[in-house]
Amino acid sequence: MIEMLNVTKYYDGNSTALVDVNLKVEKGEFIFITGPSGAGKTTLLKLLFYAEIADEGQILIAGWDLYKLSKRSIPYLRRNIGIVFQDFKLLTNMTVFENVAFAMRVVGTPYKEIRQKALNVLKLAGLVHKADDYPLRLSGGEQQRVAIARAVGNEPTILLADEPTGNLDNRSASAIIEIFKEINSKGTTVLVATHNENLFTSSGRRVITLDSGRVAGEGLR
């Protein structure tokens, strides 16, 4: 599903964000990527959805070789990838339902399908009763659940989450991880980048540890 081979990424010519990273993620896996601030977690995810381009090495995603990817193919790659950010990135002038539906409209989902699909993912996120509310009326945990619903509305094969619980209390953070587990149980490959060890301690999931841009450890936790 995902393979990174000797991947290195530089910033500003000489600052190294990732160094010789090798990583393989099987279809349907749920893994955590951890490490201190500046370890390279965000950069790694950006490379996977082609927001950044590796300077060295090879990245393969669901049959796509990102080194050979043409500009016209980028949108097709990204349709297979859902992204959840720490700062939610919701459209505050749209309701919860409209935020989720908008992501579907962008990729050309038929209008007749949008309503049912949007309600289905809002049900998954436990937010059907908030469908007509605006984001700023929601708690931080609720806003993040809207962001997750939006990310999975188009049924991506891969879900990437960058510090998705960084601004949340422990109870809300645990609820978010439970939603990710439910999404994963349906076959979606999930990668969660986090510095919060409480999220994966005793999880039984594979954990990749980055330090100064290098893979410093890997194993079940």
Side-chain angles (χ1 to χ4, degrees):
M1 174 58 69
I2 299 173
E3 192 165 6
M4 304 182 79
L5 304 169
N6 306 114
V7 172
T8 296
K9 175 64 181 177
Y10 301 103
Y11 286 128
D12 301 324
N14 53 15
S15 176
T16 309
L18 292 175
V19 184
D20 198 28
V21 170
N22 289 279
L23 173 65
K24 188 172 184 178
V25 181
E26 300 293 345
K27 182 178 180 180
E29 266 199 285
F30 183 151
I31 74 169
F32 290 94
I33 302 169
T34 192
S37 178
K41 302 186 297 296
T42 296
T43 298
L44 190 151
L45 295 187
K46 284 183 175 180
L47 291 176
L48 295 182
F49 66 88
Y50 213 72
E52 301 280 358
I53 302 173
D55 293 298
E56 298 175 12
Q58 186 178 29
I59 301 175
L60 305 172
I61 300 179
W64 300 84
D65 184 337
L66 300 198
Y67 181 76
K68 300 177 181 178
L69 196 66
S70 65
K71 288 186 177 181
R72 68 170 57 183
S73 296
I74 295 173
Y76 297 99
L77 168 73
R78 289 179 176 166
R79 287 183 187 181
N80 292 291
I81 302 174
I83 307 165
V84 180
F85 301 95
Q86 180 178 353
D87 58 355
F88 316 140
K89 298 190 182 300
L90 299 176
L91 299 170
T92 58
N93 64 330
M94 291 186 178
T95 65
V96 166
F97 178 87
E98 289 168 343
N99 266 273
V100 175
F102 179 75
M104 298 179 187
R105 292 204 307 270
V106 166
V107 300
T109 302
Y111 179 79
K112 291 182 179 179
E113 296 180 17
I114 288 177
R115 179 174 175 77
Q116 190 57 53
K117 285 188 173 183
L119 290 176
N120 286 343
V121 292
L122 286 175
K123 181 178 180 180
L124 173 67
L127 289 172
V128 172
H129 64 297
K130 299 282 187 176
D132 294 326
D133 288 354
Y134 287 87
L136 295 181
R137 296 183 59 187
L138 306 180
S139 68
E142 288 171 333
Q143 289 184 54
Q144 189 60 292
R145 283 187 278 153
V146 176
I148 294 170
R150 180 185 58 190
V152 301
N154 292 315
E155 301 177 340
T157 56
I158 299 168
L159 180 65
L160 308 177
D162 187 13
E163 295 286 3
T165 65
N167 295 323
L168 307 180
D169 58 43
N170 290 335
R171 183 176 179 179
S172 296
S174 296
I176 294 301
I177 295 302
E178 289 304 312
I179 294 173
F180 287 147
K181 289 179 181 178
E182 178 67 19
I183 293 166
N184 176 246
S185 73
K186 299 178 185 299
T188 301
T189 304
V190 179
L191 282 74
V192 176
T194 180
H195 68 275
N196 186 352
E197 294 188 8
N198 292 329
L199 298 183
F200 53 77
T201 299
S202 301
S203 67
R205 308 286 182 172
R206 187 154 64 106
V207 178
I208 309 295
T209 302
L210 297 180
D211 189 15
S212 300
R214 299 178 182 272
V215 176
E218 177 180 347
L220 298 179
R221 296 284 288 273

